[in-house]
Each structure stands twice: as C-alpha cells, then as structure tokens.
Amino acid sequence: MKKIILLFITVGLISCNGNAQKESKKASKTYKVTKTEAEWKSQLSALEYHVLREEGTERAFTSPLNENYKKGVYVCKACNTPLFKSENKFDSGTGWPSFDQEIKGNVAFSGGSEYYGIEEHCATCGGHIGHVFNDGPKNTTGKRHCINGVALKFIPKND
C-alpha cells in the first residue's frame, strides 16, 4: 500500500513540475508580434481567440477552408504570416484543412505526442494553429499538418 501511495505522489510531482515548466517556457517566449490579451480579443472573434490564444480546437468539418483547393497561400489569421502553400494541401478526411508541409521558419513546434500530435504555432505571433502527425501522404513528407481553419486566412494567387 505504501508503494502505491508513493507512486501516486511521484507521478503527481512529476506532472506538476512538467506543467509548471510548460507555463514558464510559454510565458518567457517573446514573438515579433506581441499584443495584450485585450488587444487580441478586440482583433479576433471569440472562436479565433479560443483557438489561437487559448490553444482550442474548432469542430471538424466547420471550416470553409477544409474544401478550398484554389491556388494561393494560407496565412496566420492573427498576424498574416504565410504558413502553408496551396500546393501542399490535401484532403485527409479528418474535417480540418491538412497540409503535408509548412513554410519553413514560419511555423514553430512544441510539446505534444505521437497520439495527440506535436503542437504547431505561428512563429511570428505564437498563435496556436493545430497539430502535426506522422500519418500524412507517404509519397511526399509523411506529415499531416492538421490545422484549425479558423486560425488561417486564405490569400488567393493573382493569375
């Protein structure tokens, strides 16, 4: 019985320490574009704020960008940083816009796991955009960037 109690205490301490480290790491990161929470709330809709600033997730199959296959670029809804190109978009069947690769240097990765995916953020403003998994198209990168459409804005290519 003592071993079980000791195990629970150890697990509790490890997970508390891990969460504290995550919070301090997140708080200490500075981005090129920084705003107060009030400024973000005035710029973004409630759902955009929830996804981009509180690391939420929109419901599957609700974004019109999921079925958008026009040529162009997908930028961060919060700061207009180019994140994904239309030629890298594919239909994953998951209900979220999916890409096999990001625009290098414009997307930051942190935390997560194989099961839940590695978290993706805009490297310019820190906005949470989605997760990346290793179950994408094998003929390209093998990656599936599963992105909240509400975190993106589509800029069509001018022909």
Side-chain angles (χ1 to χ4, degrees), residues 15-138:
S15 48
C16 288
N17 188 27
N19 288 336
Q21 288 174 343
K22 277 187 214 172
E23 288 303 317
S24 66
K25 188 184 292 183
K26 185 177 176 184
S28 67
K29 175 74 173 146
T30 54
Y31 296 94
K32 284 188 224 173
V33 173
T34 57
K35 297 181 181 187
T36 66
E37 294 308 305
E39 289 171 321
W40 285 123
K41 284 181 178 180
S42 71
Q43 174 188 333
L44 303 168
S45 73
L47 181 58
E48 291 165 352
Y49 181 85
H50 176 63
V51 170
L52 286 158
R53 308 312 308 168
E54 299 177 324
E55 299 185 352
T57 301
E58 69 186 351
R59 286 191 348 260
F61 300 102
T62 59
S63 173
L65 294 180
N66 189 42
E67 295 182 13
N68 178 40
Y69 288 97
K70 297 174 186 168
K71 291 185 187 293
V73 65
Y74 295 83
V75 302
C76 175
K77 186 75 167 245
C79 71
N80 294 316
T81 296
L83 302 174
F84 302 97
K85 295 178 182 176
S86 60
E87 60 260 28
N88 301 118
K89 189 169 187 293
F90 68 97
D91 184 2
S92 66
T94 61
W96 289 280
S98 298
F99 304 85
D100 66 354
Q101 62 186 289
E102 78 284 2
I103 295 175
K104 301 289 184 213
N106 292 356
V107 175
F109 304 92
S110 66
S113 67
E114 283 290 319
Y115 182 75
Y116 293 109
I118 303 301
E119 288 195 35
E120 292 187 82
H121 296 266
C122 172
T124 303
C125 71
H128 173 259
I129 57 174
H131 298 86
V132 62
F133 300 89
N134 290 320
D135 60 1
K138 300 291 182 226

